[in-house]
Amino acid sequence: MELKFDPQNPKYEFITTGSRAEEVLKILANEKIIAVDVETTDLNPYTGTLLLVQLGTPEISYVFDAREINLCDFPLYKELLENPKYLKILQNAKFDYQFIKLKTGSQIINIFDTMLAEGVLTAGLRGRNAGLKELASTYLGVDMEKATRKTFYGYTGKITEDQLIYSGLDILVLFPIFEEQMKRLQAEKLVNIAKLEFAVTRVVAEMEIRGVYINVDKWKEIIASLQKKRDSYARQLQEAIRPYYNNTQSDLFGNVSDCININSQTQLMDLFNNKLNISVPSTGDAILATIDHPVAKLLRDYRGYEKLISAFGDTLLAKVNKVTGRLHPDFMQLGAATGRFSCSNPNLQQIPRNSEEAPFRQCFTPAPGYKLVVTDYSSMEMRVLADLSGDERLIQAVSDADVHSFTAALMFGKEYSPDFKKKYPDLRQAAKAINFGLMYGMGASSLARQINVTPEVGQEYMDKYFANFPSVRKFLEGYATHAVKFGWSATPAGRKRWYHVPDKTDPDYKKKIAQIGREAKNHPIQGTNADVTKYALVFLHERLKKEGVDGFVTHTVHDEVVCEVRADQAEDWAQIQQYEMVRAGELILKKVPVKSDPFVGDVWEH
DNA sequence: AGAGGTGGTG
DNA sequence: CATGCACCACCTCT
């Protein structure tokens, strides 16, 4: 395509004085679309320094020296970034948003993010987010040099010409990429979903800036008590297996040394298969649970504690930010192929539920003077399935009853009553397994294994289920068929997911087709849940601003949103939070009620 | 460095 | 022949 700049020699101007900055900002104010990028010494906005801010037109990049010029002093700079009449194009806007907000006091409004655009255009086809180098290559055929990027890391010197050329090119490529992506978004009818993602990215940026408070002392106490228990089980296990290993050696400190490394899969397999003569295919918990042997029992106990300590111990505390004293996880808003978030460093979405021994979530508390307002959607995925399939019985079940009890009553020929859960807990559990399993495209044999019945009985349950909910079967099969035929599926809100459909000659053709079928059955359900939660995040952020509430969205876990709000405003806000969550749900769900009960308190639980 | 196993969440 | 979706962290082994 025709470029308005020379990739080898991009036009740029280095702005180092206030007077020139003022002039350039006036020039930029005549533009409708501005490309934005920053260069920093660190990825962390709390510890890094802002070196350069690039604002560009399609022809020229203006590179502001952020160490020389205090951009906070220029009302026009703030105007350009905050006025929605200027469209701002960025690659991974979340990053730039955070530095610009914290270092120059402006919030970017009206964003087009090339990384997110690519994400919605290629959902399911790529493992990770697209880098700018990749976008420039695929859309423009331009090979970008990225080696200069790392020269900014920890940089304290004078900005070099190489660095300026690099910074300049970084935003000039954004315009033609934006134009090409816009065409594709329109062709794929993905404009609305892209707009949703662009609106969400501001919320995510703010969420990460705020972070979550964690009670470090309480966390340490939990870990210490878990370590005690783990070590006790480890010792017992080593003693129990010592007879099988001619091991009476002592280590340097006179302690009897261990027979095996309990964490080693290889050594455990040897222990079970060769020493204990218990043949096991693997050492997973499902297998261990079936083995009636003290070593298996000790290992299961050990594993329970070891897991919690290794995954949620000191490594998590090491991620507490030195400046804020809070955790600032990375939220990737297109982390999953279905449109869901993923989260890392640390992954707040996998903190264990509170339990007697390990009440981890109780350590997540509000800052002094604040409350946590927690809302999650009630049985969201079942409601989505009922609404989208239009199945009358399922709609009735999610609307008027406890859906798992209702389906259990139907399938096992019992009378439904509000106390069904108490009367027939096992039947309800079986129905719940079916309800969840079918949302993942589960087959009869897996179902049978899970609820501990023969494959024949599993098939009977499955048949009976779909006899009761005929539209559900039609709906799910329809998605599977469509995905295989066209190579993609879409949620009602318009979010697409693509599939690598194998060639008929592929030796694994059937297996891969089955896989696509299962993924496609799950996509409208999980994807719609994600769509709804993302609308809710945007609505909540807007309301917090509009109402002038002293509060912030701090995190989200798929169908749950947590806000931290000044204590005296928390109860009123909880009503608004509930209202906006339901409003977001009702944008998509038209046939079933959306439910979301708020919880106001001092710990993260509900 | 990457793969595989295991296990935490929705 | 196998057949439940979506993730991330930690461990060991190669």
CSV table of all heavy atoms in Angstrom, one decimal, chain A residues 261 264 266 310 347 440 446 450 497 518 526, chain C residues 3-13:
chain,number,residue,atom,x,y,z
A,261,ASN,N,12.4,-37.0,45.9
A,261,ASN,CA,11.8,-35.7,45.8
A,261,ASN,C,10.3,-35.8,45.6
A,261,ASN,O,9.9,-36.3,44.5
A,261,ASN,CB,12.5,-34.9,44.7
A,261,ASN,CG,11.9,-33.5,44.5
A,261,ASN,OD1,10.8,-33.2,45.0
A,261,ASN,ND2,12.6,-32.7,43.7
A,264,SER,N,8.7,-34.8,42.3
A,264,SER,CA,9.1,-35.3,41.1
A,264,SER,C,8.2,-36.4,40.6
A,264,SER,O,8.0,-37.5,41.2
A,264,SER,CB,10.5,-35.9,41.2
A,264,SER,OG,10.8,-36.8,40.1
A,266,THR,N,8.5,-38.2,38.0
A,266,THR,CA,9.3,-39.4,37.6
A,266,THR,C,9.5,-40.3,38.8
A,266,THR,O,9.3,-41.5,38.8
A,266,THR,CB,10.7,-39.0,37.0
A,266,THR,OG1,10.5,-37.8,36.2
A,266,THR,CG2,11.3,-40.1,36.3
A,310,SER,N,3.3,-23.1,47.0
A,310,SER,CA,4.1,-22.8,45.9
A,310,SER,C,3.5,-21.8,45.0
A,310,SER,O,4.1,-20.8,44.5
A,310,SER,CB,4.5,-24.0,45.1
A,310,SER,OG,3.3,-24.6,44.6
A,347,ASN,N,-1.9,-13.8,39.1
A,347,ASN,CA,-3.3,-14.1,38.6
A,347,ASN,C,-4.3,-14.0,39.7
A,347,ASN,O,-4.5,-15.0,40.4
A,347,ASN,CB,-3.3,-15.4,37.9
A,347,ASN,CG,-4.6,-15.7,37.2
A,347,ASN,OD1,-5.5,-14.9,37.3
A,347,ASN,ND2,-4.7,-16.8,36.6
A,440,TYR,N,-19.8,-27.4,27.7
A,440,TYR,CA,-18.4,-27.6,27.2
A,440,TYR,C,-18.4,-28.7,26.1
A,440,TYR,O,-17.4,-29.2,25.7
A,440,TYR,CB,-17.5,-28.0,28.3
A,440,TYR,CG,-17.5,-27.1,29.5
A,440,TYR,CD1,-17.3,-27.7,30.8
A,440,TYR,CD2,-17.6,-25.8,29.4
A,440,TYR,CE1,-17.3,-26.9,31.9
A,440,TYR,CE2,-17.6,-25.0,30.5
A,440,TYR,CZ,-17.5,-25.5,31.8
A,440,TYR,OH,-17.5,-24.7,32.9
A,446,SER,N,-17.7,-39.3,29.3
A,446,SER,CA,-17.1,-38.4,30.3
A,446,SER,C,-18.0,-38.1,31.4
A,446,SER,O,-17.6,-38.0,32.5
A,446,SER,CB,-16.6,-37.1,29.6
A,446,SER,OG,-15.8,-37.4,28.5
A,450,GLN,N,-17.6,-38.9,35.4
A,450,GLN,CA,-17.6,-37.8,36.4
A,450,GLN,C,-18.6,-38.1,37.5
A,450,GLN,O,-18.3,-37.9,38.6
A,450,GLN,CB,-17.9,-36.5,35.7
A,450,GLN,CG,-18.1,-35.4,36.8
A,450,GLN,CD,-17.8,-34.0,36.3
A,450,GLN,OE1,-17.2,-33.9,35.2
A,450,GLN,NE2,-18.2,-33.1,37.0
A,497,ARG,N,-15.0,-15.7,16.9
A,497,ARG,CA,-13.9,-16.6,17.2
A,497,ARG,C,-13.7,-17.4,16.0
A,497,ARG,O,-14.6,-18.0,15.5
A,497,ARG,CB,-14.2,-17.5,18.4
A,497,ARG,CG,-13.1,-18.5,18.6
A,497,ARG,CD,-13.3,-19.4,19.8
A,497,ARG,NE,-12.2,-20.4,19.9
A,497,ARG,CZ,-12.0,-21.1,21.0
A,497,ARG,NH1,-12.8,-21.0,22.1
A,497,ARG,NH2,-10.9,-21.9,21.1
A,518,ARG,N,-16.7,-28.7,20.1
A,518,ARG,CA,-16.8,-28.4,21.5
A,518,ARG,C,-16.5,-27.0,21.8
A,518,ARG,O,-17.2,-26.3,22.6
A,518,ARG,CB,-15.8,-29.3,22.3
A,518,ARG,CG,-16.2,-30.8,22.3
A,518,ARG,CD,-15.5,-31.6,23.4
A,518,ARG,NE,-14.0,-31.5,23.2
A,518,ARG,CZ,-13.3,-32.3,22.4
A,518,ARG,NH1,-13.9,-33.3,21.7
A,518,ARG,NH2,-12.0,-32.2,22.3
A,526,GLN,N,-19.6,-18.7,26.9
A,526,GLN,CA,-18.5,-18.0,27.6
A,526,GLN,C,-18.3,-16.6,27.0
A,526,GLN,O,-18.0,-15.7,27.7
A,526,GLN,CB,-17.2,-18.8,27.5
A,526,GLN,CG,-16.1,-18.4,28.4
A,526,GLN,CD,-14.8,-19.2,28.3
A,526,GLN,OE1,-13.8,-18.6,28.0
A,526,GLN,NE2,-14.9,-20.5,28.5
C,3,DT,P,-9.6,-39.4,26.1
C,3,DT,OP1,-8.7,-38.5,26.9
C,3,DT,OP2,-10.1,-40.7,26.7
C,3,DT,O5',-10.8,-38.6,25.5
C,3,DT,C5',-10.6,-37.3,25.0
C,3,DT,C4',-11.9,-36.8,24.4
C,3,DT,O4',-12.2,-37.6,23.2
C,3,DT,C3',-13.1,-36.9,25.2
C,3,DT,O3',-13.1,-35.8,26.1
C,3,DT,C2',-14.2,-36.8,24.2
C,3,DT,C1',-13.6,-37.4,22.9
C,3,DT,N1,-14.2,-38.7,22.5
C,3,DT,C2,-15.0,-38.7,21.4
C,3,DT,O2,-15.2,-37.7,20.7
C,3,DT,N3,-15.5,-40.0,21.1
C,3,DT,C4,-15.3,-41.1,21.9
C,3,DT,O4,-15.8,-42.2,21.5
C,3,DT,C5,-14.5,-41.0,23.0
C,3,DT,C7,-14.2,-42.2,23.9
C,3,DT,C6,-14.0,-39.8,23.3
C,4,DG,P,-14.2,-35.6,27.2
C,4,DG,OP1,-13.6,-35.9,28.5
C,4,DG,OP2,-15.6,-36.1,26.8
C,4,DG,O5',-14.2,-34.0,27.1
C,4,DG,C5',-15.0,-33.3,26.1
C,4,DG,C4',-15.2,-31.9,26.6
C,4,DG,O4',-15.9,-32.0,27.9
C,4,DG,C3',-13.9,-31.2,27.0
C,4,DG,O3',-13.7,-30.3,25.9
C,4,DG,C2',-14.2,-30.4,28.2
C,4,DG,C1',-15.5,-31.1,28.8
C,4,DG,N9,-15.3,-31.8,30.1
C,4,DG,C8,-14.4,-32.8,30.4
C,4,DG,N7,-14.5,-33.2,31.6
C,4,DG,C5,-15.5,-32.4,32.2
C,4,DG,C6,-16.0,-32.3,33.5
C,4,DG,O6,-15.7,-33.1,34.4
C,4,DG,N1,-16.9,-31.3,33.6
C,4,DG,C2,-17.3,-30.5,32.6
C,4,DG,N2,-18.2,-29.5,33.0
C,4,DG,N3,-16.9,-30.5,31.4
C,4,DG,C4,-15.9,-31.5,31.2
C,5,DC,P,-12.5,-29.5,25.8
C,5,DC,OP1,-12.1,-29.5,24.4
C,5,DC,OP2,-11.5,-29.8,26.9
C,5,DC,O5',-13.0,-28.0,26.2
C,5,DC,C5',-14.0,-27.5,25.3
C,5,DC,C4',-14.4,-26.1,25.8
C,5,DC,O4',-15.0,-26.1,27.1
C,5,DC,C3',-13.1,-25.2,26.0
C,5,DC,O3',-12.8,-24.5,24.8
C,5,DC,C2',-13.6,-24.2,27.1
C,5,DC,C1',-14.6,-25.0,27.9
C,5,DC,N1,-14.1,-25.5,29.2
C,5,DC,C2,-14.1,-24.6,30.3
C,5,DC,O2,-14.5,-23.5,30.1
C,5,DC,N3,-13.6,-25.1,31.5
C,5,DC,C4,-13.2,-26.3,31.6
C,5,DC,N4,-12.7,-26.7,32.8
C,5,DC,C5,-13.2,-27.2,30.5
C,5,DC,C6,-13.6,-26.8,29.3
C,6,DA,P,-11.3,-24.0,24.6
C,6,DA,OP1,-11.3,-23.3,23.3
C,6,DA,OP2,-10.4,-25.0,24.9
C,6,DA,O5',-11.2,-22.9,25.8
C,6,DA,C5',-11.9,-21.7,25.7
C,6,DA,C4',-11.6,-20.8,26.9
C,6,DA,O4',-12.1,-21.3,28.1
C,6,DA,C3',-10.1,-20.7,27.1
C,6,DA,O3',-9.5,-19.7,26.2
C,6,DA,C2',-10.2,-20.1,28.6
C,6,DA,C1',-11.3,-20.9,29.2
C,6,DA,N9,-11.0,-22.0,30.0
C,6,DA,C8,-10.8,-23.3,29.6
C,6,DA,N7,-10.5,-24.1,30.5
C,6,DA,C5,-10.5,-23.3,31.7
C,6,DA,C6,-10.2,-23.6,33.0
C,6,DA,N6,-9.9,-24.8,33.5
C,6,DA,N1,-10.3,-22.5,33.9
C,6,DA,C2,-10.6,-21.3,33.4
C,6,DA,N3,-10.9,-21.0,32.1
C,6,DA,C4,-10.8,-22.0,31.3
C,7,DC,P,-7.9,-19.7,26.2
C,7,DC,OP1,-7.6,-19.0,25.0
C,7,DC,OP2,-7.4,-21.1,26.4
C,7,DC,O5',-7.6,-18.8,27.4
C,7,DC,C5',-6.4,-18.9,28.1
C,7,DC,C4',-6.6,-18.5,29.5
C,7,DC,O4',-7.4,-19.4,30.2
C,7,DC,C3',-5.3,-18.5,30.3
C,7,DC,O3',-4.7,-17.2,30.2
C,7,DC,C2',-5.8,-18.7,31.8
C,7,DC,C1',-7.1,-19.5,31.6
C,7,DC,N1,-7.0,-20.9,31.9
C,7,DC,C2,-6.9,-21.3,33.3
C,7,DC,O2,-6.9,-20.4,34.1
C,7,DC,N3,-6.8,-22.6,33.6
C,7,DC,C4,-6.7,-23.5,32.7
C,7,DC,N4,-6.6,-24.8,33.0
C,7,DC,C5,-6.8,-23.2,31.3
C,7,DC,C6,-6.9,-21.9,30.9
C,8,DC,P,-3.2,-17.0,30.3
C,8,DC,OP1,-2.9,-15.6,30.1
C,8,DC,OP2,-2.5,-18.0,29.5
C,8,DC,O5',-2.8,-17.4,31.8
C,8,DC,C5',-3.3,-16.5,32.8
C,8,DC,C4',-2.6,-16.9,34.2
C,8,DC,O4',-3.1,-18.2,34.5
C,8,DC,C3',-1.1,-17.0,34.1
C,8,DC,O3',-0.6,-16.5,35.3
C,8,DC,C2',-0.8,-18.4,33.9
C,8,DC,C1',-2.0,-19.1,34.7
C,8,DC,N1,-2.4,-20.4,34.1
C,8,DC,C2,-2.6,-21.5,35.0
C,8,DC,O2,-2.4,-21.3,36.2
C,8,DC,N3,-3.0,-22.7,34.5
C,8,DC,C4,-3.2,-22.8,33.2
C,8,DC,N4,-3.5,-24.0,32.7
C,8,DC,C5,-3.0,-21.7,32.3
C,8,DC,C6,-2.6,-20.5,32.8
C,9,DA,P,1.0,-16.3,35.6
C,9,DA,OP1,1.2,-15.1,36.3
C,9,DA,OP2,1.7,-16.6,34.4
C,9,DA,O5',1.2,-17.5,36.6
C,9,DA,C5',0.6,-17.5,37.9
C,9,DA,C4',1.2,-18.5,38.8
C,9,DA,O4',0.6,-19.8,38.4
C,9,DA,C3',2.7,-18.6,38.7
C,9,DA,O3',3.2,-18.8,40.0
C,9,DA,C2',2.9,-19.9,37.8
C,9,DA,C1',1.7,-20.7,38.1
C,9,DA,N9,1.3,-21.5,37.0
C,9,DA,C8,1.1,-21.1,35.7
C,9,DA,N7,0.7,-22.1,34.9
C,9,DA,C5,0.6,-23.2,35.7
C,9,DA,C6,0.2,-24.5,35.4
C,9,DA,N6,-0.2,-24.9,34.2
C,9,DA,N1,0.1,-25.3,36.5
C,9,DA,C2,0.5,-24.9,37.7
C,9,DA,N3,0.9,-23.7,38.1
C,9,DA,C4,0.9,-22.8,37.0
C,10,DC,P,4.7,-18.7,40.3
C,10,DC,OP1,4.9,-17.9,41.5
C,10,DC,OP2,5.5,-18.4,39.0
C,10,DC,O5',5.1,-20.2,40.6
C,10,DC,C5',4.3,-20.9,41.6
C,10,DC,C4',4.6,-22.4,41.5
C,10,DC,O4',3.9,-22.9,40.3
C,10,DC,C3',6.1,-22.7,41.3
C,10,DC,O3',6.5,-23.5,42.4
C,10,DC,C2',6.2,-23.5,40.0
C,10,DC,C1',4.7,-23.9,39.7
C,10,DC,N1,4.4,-24.0,38.3
C,10,DC,C2,3.9,-25.2,37.8
C,10,DC,O2,3.8,-26.2,38.6
C,10,DC,N3,3.6,-25.3,36.5
C,10,DC,C4,3.8,-24.3,35.7
C,10,DC,N4,3.5,-24.4,34.4
C,10,DC,C5,4.3,-23.0,36.2
C,10,DC,C6,4.6,-22.9,37.5
C,11,DC,P,8.1,-23.8,42.6
C,11,DC,OP1,8.3,-23.8,44.0
C,11,DC,OP2,8.9,-22.9,41.7
C,11,DC,O5',8.2,-25.3,42.0
C,11,DC,C5',7.5,-26.3,42.6
C,11,DC,C4',7.6,-27.6,41.8
C,11,DC,O4',6.9,-27.3,40.6
C,11,DC,C3',9.0,-27.9,41.3
C,11,DC,O3',9.6,-28.8,42.1
C,11,DC,C2',8.8,-28.4,39.9
C,11,DC,C1',7.4,-28.1,39.5
C,11,DC,N1,7.3,-27.3,38.3
C,11,DC,C2,6.9,-27.9,37.1
C,11,DC,O2,6.7,-29.1,37.1
C,11,DC,N3,6.8,-27.2,35.9
C,11,DC,C4,7.1,-25.9,36.0
C,11,DC,N4,7.0,-25.2,34.8
C,11,DC,C5,7.5,-25.2,37.1
C,11,DC,C6,7.6,-25.9,38.3
C,12,DT,P,11.2,-29.2,41.8
C,12,DT,OP1,11.6,-29.9,43.1
C,12,DT,OP2,11.9,-28.0,41.4
C,12,DT,O5',11.1,-30.2,40.6
C,12,DT,C5',10.3,-31.4,40.7
C,12,DT,C4',10.3,-32.1,39.3
C,12,DT,O4',9.8,-31.3,38.3
C,12,DT,C3',11.7,-32.5,38.9
C,12,DT,O3',11.7,-33.9,38.5
C,12,DT,C2',12.0,-31.7,37.7
C,12,DT,C1',10.6,-31.3,37.2
C,12,DT,N1,10.5,-30.0,36.5
C,12,DT,C2,9.9,-29.9,35.2
C,12,DT,O2,9.6,-30.9,34.6
C,12,DT,N3,9.9,-28.6,34.7
C,12,DT,C4,10.3,-27.5,35.3
C,12,DT,O4,10.2,-26.4,34.7
C,12,DT,C5,10.8,-27.6,36.6
C,12,DT,C7,11.3,-26.4,37.4
C,12,DT,C6,10.9,-28.8,37.2
C,13,DC,P,13.0,-34.7,38.2
C,13,DC,OP1,12.9,-36.1,38.7
C,13,DC,OP2,14.2,-33.9,38.7
C,13,DC,O5',13.1,-34.6,36.6
C,13,DC,C5',12.0,-35.3,35.9
C,13,DC,C4',12.1,-35.0,34.4
C,13,DC,O4',11.9,-33.6,34.1
C,13,DC,C3',13.5,-35.3,33.9
C,13,DC,O3',13.4,-36.1,32.7
C,13,DC,C2',14.1,-34.0,33.6
C,13,DC,C1',12.9,-33.2,33.2
C,13,DC,N1,13.0,-31.7,33.5
C,13,DC,C2,12.6,-30.8,32.5
C,13,DC,O2,12.0,-31.2,31.5
C,13,DC,N3,12.7,-29.5,32.7
C,13,DC,C4,13.3,-29.0,33.9
C,13,DC,N4,13.4,-27.7,34.0
C,13,DC,C5,13.8,-29.9,34.9
C,13,DC,C6,13.6,-31.2,34.6
